[in-house]
Every structure is written in structure tokens, then in C-alpha cells.
Amino acid sequence: MTNRSVSPSLTPLRRAAGLLAGLTLGAALLAGCSSEGASTDCGLDACTVTFDRGVDASANIFGVEAKLIGAEGDQVTVEVAGEQLSLTAGQQATEVGGFQVSLDSVTEQQVQIRVARSSNG
């Protein structure tokens, strides 16, 4: 039987490598959104999606697609997780597919929604 001892100088190196791998994975999860005609700002449990109006705008967040269908005045129609929703500025969030979806703002140039994981989903 051979006894091998790990050099003390390798232990901090291994810890640093493990930390770097963990940080890289965490960044990949947060950056796991993609978009076209939209921008996203995501945390662990919620994303703000800003759609450009007048283009075919969509974003993939939390493994589901969110897309802008249309907007008129302060009311917008979006599709999240395959379901169409009509949202009005200032209204409470609407539950769909395990997410709470609300309209943050609507302007002539952009529509901004918030998609959050439901606490019961």
C-alpha cells in the first residue's frame, strides 16, 4: 500500500479552480437568456424584458419564450410559455406557466415586462 500525500500548495490551487468553475457555471445560468429585438436583465428569480416595438421581438428566459405580440395605448399582448396574455400598465401580475408576468412600462419605442418565478410553482 502506497501512501500519497497531497502537497499543501495544491489545496489552495484546487479550491481556486473549484471556485472559478462555480462562478463560471453561475454566470452561465444567469446569462442563459437569449433575445431578438429585446434586451433582458435577469436575476435568479426574475427577469425584466424590454422589447423593441415595431420588430419581431422575443426573448428566451428561464427556459421559456416571451414575445411581444402587440401594443396599443397602455395595453400590450405578450406570449409567455405558449400562452397569450393581455397586460395593462399598473395591473397586478398574471400567473402563467409557473411565472408571474406584469407590465412595467410601455412607450412608443419599447415595452417592458417583468417575468418572475412563482413562489408556489
Side-chain angles (χ1 to χ4, degrees):
M1 177 177 201
T2 305
N3 283 336
R4 291 187 182 177
S5 65
V6 176
S7 169
S9 64
L10 288 181
T11 303
L13 183 59
R14 286 186 180 165
R15 284 186 189 148
L19 179 62
L20 182 60
L23 290 173
T24 302
L25 177 61
L29 289 174
L30 289 177
C33 349
S34 62
S35 61
E36 183 175 321
S39 63
T40 59
D41 181 13
C42 293
L44 291 177
D45 293 323
C47 282
T48 299
V49 182
T50 304
F51 297 106
D52 294 331
R53 289 181 64 171
V55 299
D56 189 18
S58 66
N60 287 306
I61 50 171
F62 302 127
V64 298
E65 183 176 38
K67 54 181 167 175
L68 178 63
I69 304 299
E72 188 168 322
D74 67 347
Q75 186 169 16
V76 300
T77 303
V78 294
E79 184 177 300
V80 177
E83 293 189 43
Q84 282 196 13
L85 307 168
S86 289
L87 303 173
T88 304
Q91 105 182 35
Q92 272 191 306
T94 301
E95 171 84 26
V96 60
F99 297 97
Q100 293 284 327
V101 183
S102 59
L103 176 62
D104 282 351
S105 66
V106 57
T107 68
E108 289 183 19
Q109 293 81 28
Q110 296 179 324
V111 170
Q112 187 175 76
I113 65 169
R114 182 174 191 274
V115 180
R117 295 180 196 264
S118 293
S119 57
N120 61 359

